[in-house]
Amino acid sequence: MADQFDSALDLLRRLNPKDTAANLSSLCTLVPSLTDDLLTSVDAPLEIRRCKATGRDYLLCDYNRDGDSWRSPWSNDFDPPVPDAELPSERVRKMEIRANEAFDVYRELYFEGGVSSVYLWNLDDGFAGAVLLKKSVNPSSKNAGSWDSIHVFEAAERARTAHYKLTSTVILNLATEAETLGVMDLSGNMTRQVEQDLPVDGDESHVANLGKMVEDMELKMRNLLQEVYFGKARDVVGDLRSIPPLSETNRDRATQREMIGNLQSR
């Protein structure tokens, strides 16, 4: 079983991240015994569903799933209904409502569209949750892109402070098609983790602390994605085909090496 699970994870890492959901479904069909382990271990692009009670969209993930049903953060109801479903406590549910309102504003400020969802659940020494954000651009046109953020955290409460452990994953997909360029598909994901001790003064502080941590993490990861993906793509294209004549590029490099050599010899 362990060998099959490790092989499945290794296979998913080698395939296009854009097709993670389809590949994950195929693996679960081939090896049904790995379904629960794979769904809890693999981050896939988020799916959207509409809440029947409120008419608002919400995101699906393993953290609001119970079998084949998903809980809406807006109504707190499962669709389809689940008898005796496990729901967050009254206190945690109130924080969940405030967090969804706060991240709905955050989504509009930073993404100007898309969908956000926050799910919280109880722990023995505090609570945990998941903050989900998704924005897609022209999914049916020749130029398409999507950003999926999955932030999973634990909050251990300690008197007037709380210890937060945040694990964030961003799944990025960019695609374009043109007669002169052909088809270009740039997809990938990145995961980072951070731990912090922050002061707490009431449950509202938890929402504010979480918002600040997610905001800082997303900013760092966006800058890293820009540097890794776009910077690397620019370097590769530059090595394949230089914009200025190669003679000028080689002359500039020779001048740079000469200046460095003169500085080092002093």
Side-chain angles (χ1 to χ4, degrees), residues 91 125-127 153-165 195-202 205-206 209-210 213:
R91 177 204 171 209
D125 59 347
F127 64 97
F153 72 92
E154 294 180 2
E157 297 173 306
R158 303 171 181 173
R160 294 185 177 275
T161 65
H163 180 77
Y164 299 92
K165 181 179 180 181
E195 296 188 35
Q196 276 187 279
D197 290 309
L198 296 172
V200 175
D201 183 17
S205 299
H206 286 299
N209 291 340
L210 177 61
M213 290 182 69

Side-chain angles (χ1 to χ4, degrees), residues 95-212:
M95 282 195 291
E96 184 180 77
I97 293 173
R98 287 194 289 267
N100 273 285
E101 293 171 349
F103 277 98
D104 194 45
V105 175
Y106 172 90
R107 171 197 56 76
E108 190 61 37
L109 287 173
Y110 281 94
F111 293 85
E112 296 184 346
V115 182
S116 65
S117 296
V118 181
Y119 303 102
L120 303 183
W121 57 90
N122 296 82
L123 295 178
D124 293 336
D125 59 347
F127 64 97
V131 179
L132 312 175
L133 295 150
K134 182 180 183 69
K135 173 71 179 290
S136 298
V137 180
N138 298 328
S140 60
S141 70
K142 292 184 177 180
N143 298 317
S146 65
W147 170 288
D148 295 82
S149 300
I150 304 170
H151 305 275
V152 182
F153 72 92
E154 294 180 2
E157 297 173 306
R158 303 171 181 173
R160 294 185 177 275
T161 65
H163 180 77
Y164 299 92
K165 181 179 180 181
L166 176 68
T167 302
S168 300
T169 298
V170 169
I171 304 172
L172 177 67
N173 174 46
L174 298 173
T176 185
E177 182 179 353
E179 292 183 3
T180 55
L181 179 65
V183 178
M184 186 193 75
D185 187 343
L186 185 62
S187 303
N189 57 53
M190 176 182 290
T191 300
R192 292 292 184 271
Q193 191 175 87
V194 66
E195 296 188 35
Q196 276 187 279
D197 290 309
L198 296 172
V200 175
D201 183 17
D203 290 342
E204 293 81 3
S205 299
H206 286 299
V207 177
N209 291 340
L210 177 61
K212 180 62 175 174

